[in-house]
Structures are given as structure tokens and as C-alpha cells.
């Protein structure tokens, strides 16, 4: 499996875990992950993360 695919899968899992911890609240999830809200939305869209 290409490294990029492994990285994307790990990032998607981490985003989904953070969303679970914050009950799907994107702003709180972004804060928990240390990224901006718009960055989180972009990553969720690109990675197919569900929120």
C-alpha cells in the first residue's frame, strides 16, 4: 500500500475519533485536532470522513 494511502487512512481515523469525542461538533473537533475549521472541512471532504 502506498505511504500516502496509509497516511490518509490514519488521518481519516483520527478525524472520525475526534468527531465522536465532540459529538460531531466541527468547531470543537478542529480545536481538539489543532487545525482550523475550514481545514477540517477540506480534510473531511478529501478523505471521505463522516461527521
Amino acid at each position: 500500500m502506498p505511504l500516502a494511502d496509509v497516511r490518509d487512512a490514519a488521518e481519516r481515523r483520527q478525524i472520525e475519533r475526534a468527531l465522536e469525542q465532540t459529538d460531531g461538533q466541527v468547531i470543537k473537533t478542529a480545536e481538539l485536532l489543532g487545525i482550523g475549521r475550514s481545514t477540517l472541512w477540506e480534510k473531511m471532504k478529501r478523505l471521505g470522513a463522516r461527521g
Side-chain angles (χ1 to χ4, degrees):
M1 179 179 276
L3 182 58
D5 292 345
V6 173
R7 184 192 64 234
D8 288 349
E11 194 169 12
R12 182 175 47 252
R13 281 192 307 271
Q14 190 64 24
I15 289 170
E16 289 175 347
R17 286 180 189 143
L19 283 163
E20 287 178 18
Q21 289 179 334
T22 62
D23 294 321
Q25 296 181 34
V26 175
I27 294 172
K28 288 186 178 184
T29 300
E31 290 172 356
L32 181 64
L33 295 171
I35 60 176
R37 185 191 65 203
S38 60
T39 300
L40 176 58
W41 277 114
E42 290 170 9
K43 287 180 180 291
M44 289 173 64
K45 183 178 178 180
R46 181 176 61 83
L47 298 169
R50 48 194 191 277

